[in-house]
Amino acid sequence: MRNLLAFLAKYNHWFVFILLEVICFVLLFRFNNFQGSVYFSSANAVAGKVYEYNSSVTTFFNMSQSNKKLSERNLILEQQVRALTQYIATHHGDSLAMEQCQKQALAGFKLIPAKVIQSTINREDNLITIDKGKADGIHEDMGVACGTGVVGVVYMASDHYSIVLPVINVNSNISVMIRKRGYFGFLHWKGTPSDIAYVDDVPRHARFALGDYVVTNGYSSIFPPGIMVGKILHVFNSSDGLSYRVQLRLSTDFGKLRHVCVIDNSALKDKALLLKAAQDSLKPRDTSKK
Amino acid sequence: MSIDIIKKILLLTILVLAQVLVLNNIHLLGCATPLLYVYLVLRINRFCPQWANLLWGFVIGLCVDIFSNTPGLAAASMTLMSLLQPYVLNIFVAHDNQDDLKPSFRTLGPVKYISYTSILVFIFCITFFTLETFNFFNWLQWIYNIVGSTIITVLLVLVVENVRRD
């Protein structure tokens, strides 16, 4: 016993070391799927405040107030223009009913303006911190856009700050489509450079041209349809040869991102809940088959 | 003693703020990022108890992690570095020397101090970038990151050490 104690006393630092490293690795590996770890991120109150001060100094030179309003207005107008152009392109049947339908689709979304207080663009795991949180009505899985296009999805929210998983994160996965052609795929990012992304799973029979625009398709409950994503630069075959991989230039400049809008999708919550309920009811049947 | 602790905490605050607000935004040639907070571990006394040493490294790493959204990354590397720090320091101190010295330009001499710094920073950069690129392995970028960041960090540490000497 005495020997054991002496041994422990002599080598106590190794045990401290192992304990600390275990804590580090738990943090390292659980962060990506652990929504509760908001205190170990830049969304906690102290870190958020520091970044807020820092960003208020940097945005002072950018006329922050007017920029915010313009970016919000721009987003609304752009969305309307896109909705209308699509409406003209696919004009069939009862025009009055269709117009009403489109107005309703846009009315369902509330926009919450927010300011970017911290962001990175040169890692694989880029994250953006914004200065609005649960107290302002932001929750996980809300979409985020800015005047020039799509930004990302809210990943975790604390009371006054939230972290956004932007398009330029290797884990981001947003459902998009090619405008006017209707073919859809999934938007992925493969690391630097920060303005080039890829759309995977575009079917081989799809017909489209270089220079076509890619927009969100609105199938998920996160983004309304028609928010700009980027412009097609190049087309490759996917690695299995069964679909196209489309390379595109993102319309959002993540290096200059200052003012964004969080899209409140409460109108689409019901749709998401319904989908989840349907999936849940299907699950037991799947397992019983196996 | 308490003055010493306050000085340490003050230096920690300054270096962490400098790191997260300024240095983290520097990517020279797309690879070299100065990681100046390692300086806090480089300054640890020779006979400081090792558990305190480790906890200190862990806390510094965690502070930086919280700000840069990489929980556990810098903390894990800093803990490893503070474990190895006394052993590396002992290589450069004569065996008959029993002083509780604080590693610096003055106490070690320029050549020994530069080698001591380079070895520890290199070890730190290897762990740091290996953990960072864990699921996205691009070995050329990994080597560039390690070499670039080691060089720029060592240079910055030497500059800070030189300024503090006077």
Side-chain angles (χ1 to χ4, degrees):
Chain A
M1 191 63 198
R2 192 178 290 259
N3 280 346
L4 182 69
L5 284 179
F7 173 80
L8 288 181
K10 192 175 177 196
Y11 293 104
N12 69 59
H13 62 275
W14 285 101
F15 297 106
V16 176
F17 173 70
I18 290 168
L19 180 75
L20 293 178
E21 288 288 339
V22 167
I23 297 175
C24 294
F25 278 93
V26 168
L27 285 174
L28 195 61
F29 289 116
R30 297 208 58 186
F31 180 65
N32 285 330
N33 45 20
F34 189 44
Q35 302 277 326
S37 65
V38 71
Y39 294 107
F40 285 109
S41 71
S42 62
N44 82 43
V46 179
K49 207 76 200 158
V50 171
Y51 278 127
E52 203 176 327
Y53 285 136
N54 180 44
S55 125
S56 66
V57 172
T58 49
T59 47
F60 173 76
F61 299 100
N62 295 342
M63 299 301 226
S64 58
Q65 195 58 37
S66 59
N67 260 0
K68 187 161 84 183
K69 277 186 187 147
L70 282 175
S71 121
E72 192 185 349
R73 185 82 197 126
N74 198 9
L75 184 76
I76 297 170
L77 289 175
E78 207 167 353
Q79 225 175 312
Q80 278 175 349
V81 167
R82 235 175 288 294
L84 287 173
T85 40
Q86 197 157 28
Y87 161 63
I88 292 164
T90 60
H91 186 126
H92 295 299
D94 186 354
S95 59
L96 197 67
M98 229 168 143
E99 197 173 6
Q100 243 165 5
C101 197
Q102 237 141 19
K103 266 186 189 159
Q104 268 172 358
L106 282 176
F109 296 97
K110 205 180 98 196
L111 300 176
I112 305 167
K115 201 152 72 177
V116 173
I117 57 173
Q118 187 256 345
S119 68
T120 54
I121 58 165
N122 32 38
R123 300 216 310 255
E124 278 85 49
D125 257 338
N126 294 310
L127 294 171
I128 294 175
T129 315
I130 57 173
D131 68 342
K132 293 282 160 65
K134 282 183 177 148
D136 309 282
I138 291 178
H139 297 287
E140 280 92 19
D141 294 335
M142 280 184 175
V144 181
C146 70
T148 50
V150 69
V151 174
V153 178
V154 176
Y155 175 58
M156 43 170 104
S158 70
D159 283 348
H160 297 287
Y161 302 98
S162 329
I163 290 184
V164 177
L165 189 81
V167 171
I168 52 163
N169 183 311
V170 286
N171 297 315
S172 120
N173 185 5
I174 292 174
S175 173
V176 296
M177 70 172 179
I178 300 167
R179 202 175 88 191
K180 290 185 193 166
R181 319 267 177 174
Y183 296 108
F184 60 88
F186 289 98
L187 183 68
H188 291 134
W189 185 71
K190 311 278 174 207
T192 49
S194 66
D195 60 341
I196 302 290
Y198 296 89
V199 179
D200 289 322
D201 297 340
V202 178
R204 296 224 35 126
H205 60 266
R207 288 282 162 267
F208 52 89
L210 300 185
D212 274 0
Y213 289 100
V214 172
V215 296
T216 57
N217 65 11
Y219 289 174
S220 67
S221 60
I222 297 175
F223 288 104
I227 292 186
M228 177 64 95
V229 174
K231 196 174 178 182
I232 296 177
L233 283 185
H234 213 288
V235 181
F236 304 99
N237 288 324
S238 69
S239 50
D240 57 4
L242 296 175
S243 56
Y244 286 131
R245 161 179 282 185
V246 177
Q247 186 190 45
L248 54 91
R249 183 180 297 283
L250 294 170
S251 61
T252 306
D253 184 348
F254 285 88
K256 285 189 198 160
L257 207 58
R258 278 279 173 268
H259 298 286
V260 296
C261 285
V262 181
I263 298 164
D264 186 351
N265 53 355
S266 41
L268 285 175
K269 277 271 167 60
D270 295 342
K271 190 173 138 190
L273 278 177
L274 193 67
L275 192 69
K276 195 165 183 330
Q279 278 168 347
D280 285 349
S281 69
L282 283 176
K283 256 177 209 161
R285 207 174 293 166
D286 282 349
T287 47
S288 64
K289 258 183 212 167
K290 284 166 197 168
Chain B
M1 185 61 196
S2 62
I3 290 285
D4 205 42
I5 290 177
I6 293 171
K7 267 168 92 178
K8 261 190 169 179
I9 292 176
L10 201 69
L11 191 65
L12 169 79
T13 321
I14 294 172
L15 281 188
V16 169
L17 283 181
Q19 182 67 39
V20 297
L21 295 182
V22 183
L23 301 179
N24 266 351
N25 298 319
I26 298 175
H27 298 271
L28 222 56
L29 308 174
C31 62
T33 306
L35 304 162
L36 188 59
Y37 50 94
V38 297
Y39 181 58
L40 291 162
V41 166
L42 290 174
R43 285 175 76 251
I44 294 176
N45 282 9
R46 189 178 168 204
F47 292 126
C48 183
Q50 281 219 302
W51 60 268
N53 208 331
L54 289 166
L55 271 181
W56 181 233
F58 177 75
V59 168
I60 301 161
L62 200 63
C63 288
V64 175
D65 276 338
I66 285 174
F67 277 97
S68 43
N69 284 328
T70 51
L73 175 62
S77 332
M78 283 298 266
T79 315
L80 180 71
M81 181 183 166
S82 47
L83 178 82
L84 297 176
Q85 188 258 358
Y87 302 108
V88 177
L89 182 57
N90 271 337
I91 300 173
F92 295 103
V93 179
H95 284 293
D96 51 348
N97 186 344
Q98 290 302 321
D99 299 343
D100 183 15
L101 57 84
K102 176 172 274 187
S104 70
F105 254 149
R106 202 177 30 199
T107 52
L108 284 180
V111 179
K112 280 183 176 174
Y113 186 74
I114 292 172
S115 341
Y116 160 77
T117 310
S118 318
I119 291 176
L120 278 178
V121 171
F122 187 57
I123 293 170
F124 175 79
C125 287
I126 291 178
T127 21
F128 185 85
F129 288 107
T130 309
L131 289 176
E132 193 188 24
T133 54
F134 214 83
N135 53 359
F136 191 82
F137 207 71
N138 179 351
W139 63 273
L140 208 61
Q141 183 65 34
W142 176 70
I143 290 172
Y144 286 152
N145 277 340
I146 290 175
V147 174
S149 299
T150 307
I151 293 171
I152 197 164
T153 308
V154 169
L155 284 178
L156 212 59
V157 167
L158 294 180
V159 169
V160 173
E161 183 63 31
N162 224 345
V163 171
R164 282 175 59 87
R165 189 163 51 157
D166 306 323

